Amino acid sequence: MSVAEYIKHNRLFFDGAMGTMLQKSGLEPGGLPEVYNIEKPETVLEIHKEYVKAGADVITANTFQANELKLSDCGYSVEEIITAGVQLAKKSGAKFSALDIGPLGQLMEPMGTLSFDDAYEMFKRQLVAGEKAGADIVLFETMSDLLEVKAGILAARENTKLPVFVTMTFQEDGRTFVGCDPKSVAVTLSGLGVDALGVNCSLGPKELLPTIDELIKYSRVPVMVQPNAGLPHIENDKTVYNITAEDFSNFMKKIAEKGVSVLGGCCGTTPEFIKETRKLVEDVEFFSPEYEHVTAVSSGTKTVIFDNAVTVIGERINPTGKKKLKEKLRQQDFRYLVSEAISQMHNSADVLDVNCGLPEINEAETLAKAVSEIQAAVNLPLQLDSSDKNAVEAGIRKYNGKPIINSVNGKQESMDAIFPIAKKYGAVVVGLCLDETGIPETAEGRYKIAEKIVRTAETYGIPKEDIIIDCLVLTASAQQKLVIETINAIKLVKERLGVKTVLGVSNVSFGLPARPILNSVFLAAGFGAGLDSAIVNPMSFDIMKTVRGFKVLNNQDVDAVDYISNYADYVSETGSGKDSAGKISDNTNAEKGTNEDITSYIIDGRREETGIATKEMLKDLDPIKIIDNYFIPALDIVGDRYEKGTAFLPQLIQSAEAVKCGFEIIRDSSKKEGENKKGKIVLATVKGDIHDIGKNIVKMLLENYGYDVIDLGKDVPIESVVDAVIQNDIKLVGLSALMTTTVKSMKDTISALREAGSNAKVVVGGAVLNEEYVNFVGADYYGKDARATVKIANEIFGYDN
């Protein structure tokens, strides 16, 4: 029986930590655990056997970091390490062996420099080697970025037959390092067809309970949980975890009782933890929890659920009738599209429709590029609008999250073209009520096509909650008698099929004056019939009045908070035919750069516009005033939102990149490079640690606040840090470590600085650190993230926070 079939009817027990056990067996701080597969195979095999004896069904190969980036200097190839690791796991005597794959160690574009295609190829190399060596499962674990893990899932599906398990790692705020929430993880990974999904690392079982509840609620596949042995602290100069095997197993029993199918341990857990967990959980009745059958779409950090709510799909990124947008698409200038996306987001759109259909351009390439550029700027889910299957697949392949495909219709050739793509990538699909005979005149005729679409989708394995039916709007100017049939068709679809509905509203008023009046009245009629979502212009005051008003009436806008916020100062200009009020703003003038605009450009992460605005401002303002009065306050706003959890790492990085563009303009215009720097700071990832994502983010933000950063890189020898600090008379040093095994190296580096006579303040950070480690390593400050480190730097150098 395959493991994918096994977990449908049985609970599955994974092993616990490998790193913890190898450290006990003599692994040096900063040592590469995977090398033990070849140099000390007996040590690895003995650990595997201990876990099997403790009751583990699955042994995870010692291959977590076995990718070409992290093995580049170890003397062994990816294939050698993985082959040895998987074969040792298979020799353990466990039911199943798992190829273990962790993050590649670089941020994906657009946050970082790692491309989707490069990530895919690196994962493919690992996966092919693992399957060839005999692995039964691939486990992607400790992942933070949905786009990175999507590259891995596709590499697995397209190059192997291995069942795919995925666990993400969540922080105390309930999100991953890059801002993914459990709902988005469950919705996206379920759609991609993984065999199990869940959470591992970072936190203990108690702290993970809210995350687990959310995953169970929305996951369509079995849920997997591998917590740490509680939270780490220092005892006798060693990192230890704060719960016992007995405590751990008690929590794991509660987790099993929630319906979690796959259980195991992560950092700090040992065979004793697995033994106690299996003993306590063995008698818990196995069952598969019922997930919520919701229609949901997501970006990498935000999920929109259509159930019992009105969803606004912004229509403005569509070249039909838009001369300027057509021109920009021909020029492959995506700034205008991004500006439209940002404006619609600011004006309460929930989802954005993206259409790049012009006959004279390569639609597939253009749509893929547009998706990438827009997702770099906004966190809203996208609706990919094309009937060209090649364009749809190009756009969806590198999409971060679960999108909507707009659209398919009742023609068999259309369904046969689009449904396989929707199934493969886990998308929601808009179904148009038309077929070979055109658009039926009656509501009953449109319902029959809708039913055909839903039933055909089910044969492709697409559940009805992933179908949204468009009953199609006809123009009142030409087909007035048929307009009401659209409203009647919505009622039939809702009552008989129980699926969600959508309408492209503005078509009803085509060819008539005062179009907003007809559009808003028709939209209200649609809502009354049960319409779930509307493709509209969120910049239209009339449309948004109707949307916000209905949200109050259907109890979606609780206590009318949004309605009051937008219309508290509403004034009706009697007799003029116009209403004034509401917070409709338009930030789409991408070619303009003014003092007023630059703050919003930075906040929105619009790099080119920030550069243009900076050039204009330099004609009248001193560079220092631009930096102090515009750059820094804008970054502070984004930083405050980041701290409050209303903005996440992608937004922080995009804003920092925007400021970087502005700084480059200022630098190029200045006589002396670096004349505006506030002070010098040394940054380094300590000896033995090759993880530098966090350190690089800190560097970017510090530089954008005007500091001169000397970046020593990763795996930096102690003497190199000391030399750089002494030679440059440094006042602040930032040290980073991701692995518990390299915390000792951090302590030794700080001791060496003090012995060399440096009075520099030291701030430390990294995923394994907390406030308690500050005293242990001898540091002065703990920087929990890049924003906190900037505040520390400002304090030390005497600048206001």
Side-chain angles (χ1 to χ4, degrees):
M1 181 186 296
S2 73
V3 70
E5 285 298 317
Y6 184 89
I7 60 174
K8 292 179 181 178
H9 310 286
N10 303 275
R11 189 168 288 113
L12 191 68
F13 292 88
F14 266 68
D15 50 9
M18 172 58 74
T20 298
M21 298 295 289
L22 285 177
Q23 289 170 38
K24 292 180 178 180
S25 299
L27 177 66
E28 292 295 325
L32 196 63
E34 291 76 13
V35 172
Y36 268 44
N37 295 341
I38 295 174
E39 297 182 353
K40 296 187 178 182
E42 66 284 350
T43 300
V44 176
L45 182 58
E46 181 58 33
I47 293 170
H48 288 334
K49 288 182 175 180
E50 286 186 50
Y51 277 120
V52 172
K53 186 178 179 181
D57 299 311
V58 182
I59 289 300
T60 309
N62 181 32
T63 55
F64 179 73
Q65 298 181 107
N67 65 67
E68 58 196 67
L69 294 176
K70 294 181 179 179
L71 298 182
S72 58
D73 298 321
C74 79
Y76 302 105
S77 71
V78 170
E79 288 76 11
E80 288 173 320
I81 292 287
I82 286 180
T83 299
V86 171
Q87 288 178 349
L88 287 170
K90 292 183 72 64
K91 287 180 183 178
S92 68
K95 285 189 182 76
F96 304 106
S97 61
L99 169 66
D100 191 19
I101 297 182
L104 294 170
Q106 294 184 3
L107 285 174
M108 296 282 289
E109 294 176 342
M111 290 186 292
T113 57
L114 182 63
S115 74
F116 185 91
D117 291 335
D118 285 344
Y120 177 95
E121 290 300 325
M122 289 183 208
F123 285 133
K124 175 182 175 181
R125 183 178 178 185
Q126 293 173 275
L127 288 155
V128 170
E131 184 178 51
K132 187 176 180 180
D136 302 300
I137 309 164
V138 56
L139 170 62
F140 293 98
E141 67 170 336
T142 324
M143 306 300 289
S144 294
D145 187 346
L146 278 173
L147 188 60
E148 180 179 9
V149 81
K150 181 177 182 178
I153 292 167
L154 292 177
R157 293 295 190 220
E158 294 172 355
N159 299 282
T160 77
K161 296 180 180 179
L162 294 175
V164 178
F165 289 21
V166 178
T167 54
M168 309 289 285
T169 183
F170 294 88
Q171 303 175 126
E172 289 183 273
D173 64 357
R175 289 182 177 263
T176 72
F177 175 63
V178 301
C180 301
D181 63 297
K183 191 184 301 181
S184 298
V185 167
V187 165
T188 300
L189 297 184
S190 291
L192 285 167
V194 301
D195 296 282
L197 64 85
V199 55
N200 80 299
C201 206
S202 294
L203 303 171
K206 179 181 179 180
E207 293 78 18
L208 285 175
L209 289 175
T211 296
I212 294 167
D213 287 340
E214 194 83 346
L215 291 172
I216 292 172
K217 184 176 181 180
Y218 293 105
S219 175
R220 299 176 184 176
V221 301
V223 172
M224 175 176 181
V225 176
Q226 289 187 290
N228 286 348
L231 301 175
H233 63 283
I234 301 297
E235 285 183 13
N236 300 321
D237 288 352
K238 292 184 178 180
T239 298
V240 297
Y241 289 81
N242 68 350
I243 62 174
T244 64
E246 182 180 359
D247 293 333
F248 183 87
S249 61
N250 283 326
F251 279 114
M252 295 302 278
K253 181 180 179 182
K254 293 178 182 178
I255 289 169
E257 289 170 343
K258 292 174 179 289
V260 171
S261 302
V262 187
L263 301 171
C266 204
C267 300
T269 61
T270 65
E272 183 185 3
F273 283 72
I274 303 306
K275 179 181 179 181
E276 291 299 315
T277 296
R278 177 132 201 177
K279 182 171 66 176
L280 202 59
V281 172
E282 196 77 71
D283 294 332
V284 175
E285 183 181 357
F286 176 86
F287 70 98
S288 298
E290 182 66 23
Y291 67 88
E292 291 205 5
H293 293 255
V294 296
T295 298
V297 295
S298 75
S299 65
T301 59
K302 182 181 179 67
T303 292
V304 172
I305 295 178
F306 283 60
D307 295 62
N308 303 315
V310 170
T311 302
V312 174
I313 303 175
E315 70 178 7
R316 289 170 63 98
I317 306 176
N318 188 320
T320 304
K322 297 184 178 72
K323 182 178 178 180
K324 186 172 185 179
L325 181 54
K326 289 180 180 179
E327 177 186 340
K328 296 299 182 183
L329 286 173
R330 293 187 188 105
Q331 296 170 354
Q332 295 292 286
D333 181 350
F334 295 95
R335 286 184 301 157
Y336 185 73
L337 276 73
V338 170
S339 298
E340 288 283 6
I342 291 170
S343 295
Q344 292 180 96
M345 178 180 68
H346 288 328
N347 288 290
S348 300
D350 301 302
V351 178
L352 301 179
D353 186 85
V354 182
N355 184 311
C356 298
L358 286 180
E360 63 269 34
I361 66 174
N362 186 318
E363 186 181 356
E365 290 181 4
T366 303
L367 184 59
K369 181 66 173 174
V371 166
S372 177
E373 292 286 337
I374 292 169
Q375 286 207 295
V378 303
N379 70 339
L380 300 182
L382 303 183
Q383 175 171 280
L384 310 187
D385 190 351
S386 176
S387 57
D388 181 337
K389 70 174 186 178
N390 294 324
V392 168
E393 183 154 23
I396 203 173
R397 186 170 180 82
K398 299 176 184 178
Y399 176 88
N400 191 0
K402 180 185 179 80
I404 303 174
I405 295 174
N406 185 16
S407 56
V408 71
N409 60 54
K411 298 177 183 178
Q412 193 63 46
E413 62 180 349
S414 173
M415 293 186 286
D416 290 342
I418 298 300
F419 281 153
I421 298 171
K423 174 61 178 175
K424 177 178 180 178
Y425 296 100
V428 171
V429 187
V430 172
L432 307 181
C433 291
L434 64 87
D435 59 13
E436 292 82 358
T437 63
I439 303 174
E441 293 189 352
T442 67
E444 192 68 41
R446 293 185 212 180
Y447 164 77
K448 288 181 179 178
I449 295 176
E451 182 181 36
K452 178 182 178 183
I453 291 171
V454 171
R455 301 300 175 231
T456 304
E458 289 174 345
T459 67
Y460 281 91
I462 300 171
K464 69 177 185 178
E465 56 259 37
D466 281 352
I467 299 292
I468 303 175
I469 293 297
D470 186 343
C471 294
L472 296 174
V473 178
L474 300 177
T475 58
S477 60
Q479 297 161 297
Q480 189 172 359
K481 293 181 180 180
L482 301 182
V483 170
I484 199 64
E485 289 302 305
T486 299
I487 302 300
N488 293 333
I490 292 173
K491 296 176 183 177
L492 294 179
V493 167
K494 296 289 291 182
E495 291 169 2
R496 298 179 186 176
L497 290 176
V499 298
K500 299 298 176 282
T501 55
V502 65
L503 288 179
V505 173
S506 60
N507 194 45
V508 74
S509 63
F510 184 79
L512 293 171
R515 295 186 66 185
I517 296 175
L518 275 179
N519 292 344
S520 59
V521 172
F522 184 72
L523 179 59
F527 287 153
L531 181 67
D532 300 285
S533 56
I535 305 171
V536 295
N537 177 11
M539 315 298 291
S540 166
F541 182 56
D542 293 274
I543 285 290
M544 294 311 292
K545 276 195 303 183
T546 303
V547 169
R548 293 192 175 105
F550 186 76
K551 284 183 177 182
V552 173
L553 300 180
N554 78 343
N555 199 36
Q556 183 179 347
D557 181 8
V558 179
D559 297 327
V561 172
D562 181 63
Y563 184 86
I564 293 170
S565 172
N566 280 276
Y567 304 121
D569 300 322
Y570 177 83
V571 177
S572 177
E573 299 180 7
T574 306
S576 69
K578 297 180 180 179
D579 293 321
S580 62
K583 299 177 181 178
I584 300 294
S585 61
D586 188 347
N587 299 311
T588 61
N589 193 350
E591 274 120 42
K592 178 182 173 186
T594 69
N595 299 8
E596 291 75 20
D597 294 328
I598 196 166
T599 298
S600 64
Y601 290 159
I602 293 170
I603 291 171
D604 292 335
R606 293 159 71 175
R607 288 164 286 182
E608 292 183 61
E609 290 88 338
T610 300
I612 293 169
T614 302
K615 285 182 181 179
E616 289 298 313
M617 293 170 72
L618 281 170
K619 296 176 182 179
D620 304 309
L621 293 177
D622 181 80
I624 292 294
K625 289 185 178 179
I626 296 174
I627 294 169
D628 291 344
N629 296 341
Y630 295 95
F631 287 5
I632 301 304
L635 284 173
D636 285 341
I637 291 171
V638 179
D640 289 341
R641 292 178 181 176
Y642 178 74
E643 289 181 345
K644 293 174 182 176
T646 58
F648 306 103
L649 186 61
Q651 289 77 42
L652 191 67
I653 290 177
Q654 290 303 312
S655 294
E657 289 286 355
V659 169
K660 182 179 178 181
C661 286
F663 266 117
E664 289 173 352
I665 298 296
I666 289 174
R667 183 194 63 199
D668 292 343
S669 68
S670 301
K671 294 180 181 179
K672 297 180 181 179
E673 183 173 333
E675 66 179 5
N676 299 316
K677 298 292 184 183
K678 292 179 176 179
K680 291 182 178 180
I681 299 173
V682 162
L683 293 183
T685 299
V686 297
K687 178 64 179 175
D689 204 315
I690 59 173
H691 302 86
D692 62 353
I693 290 177
K695 183 261 298 175
N696 292 342
I697 295 168
V698 171
K699 174 188 176 184
M700 180 189 301
L701 208 57
L702 284 171
E703 287 179 336
N704 286 331
Y705 272 83
Y707 292 101
D708 185 2
V709 177
I710 300 173
D711 182 5
L712 301 180
K714 57 190 177 184
D715 190 18
V716 181
I718 292 173
E719 57 271 21
S720 298
V721 177
V722 173
D723 289 346
V725 170
I726 299 299
Q727 292 171 12
N728 292 281
D729 191 24
I730 296 299
K731 291 177 64 176
L732 177 62
V733 181
L735 299 178
S736 173
L738 185 68
M739 301 184 296
T740 55
T741 54
T742 55
V743 173
K744 180 65 163 53
S745 180
M746 181 178 280
K747 181 178 182 179
D748 293 342
T749 302
I750 296 172
S751 296
L753 283 170
R754 300 304 178 225
E755 290 172 4
S758 171
N759 293 318
K761 299 294 184 183
V762 179
V763 55
V764 295
V768 297
L769 298 181
N770 53 39
E771 291 282 2
E772 186 177 345
Y773 279 90
V774 172
N775 292 330
F776 170 67
V777 300
D780 301 287
Y781 300 91
Y782 165 60
K784 67 175 183 177
D785 53 38
R787 169 68 171 156
T789 306
V790 168
K791 287 189 171 184
I792 291 166
N794 286 343
E795 177 185 328
I796 291 171
F797 286 92
Y799 296 97
D800 293 334
N801 275 309

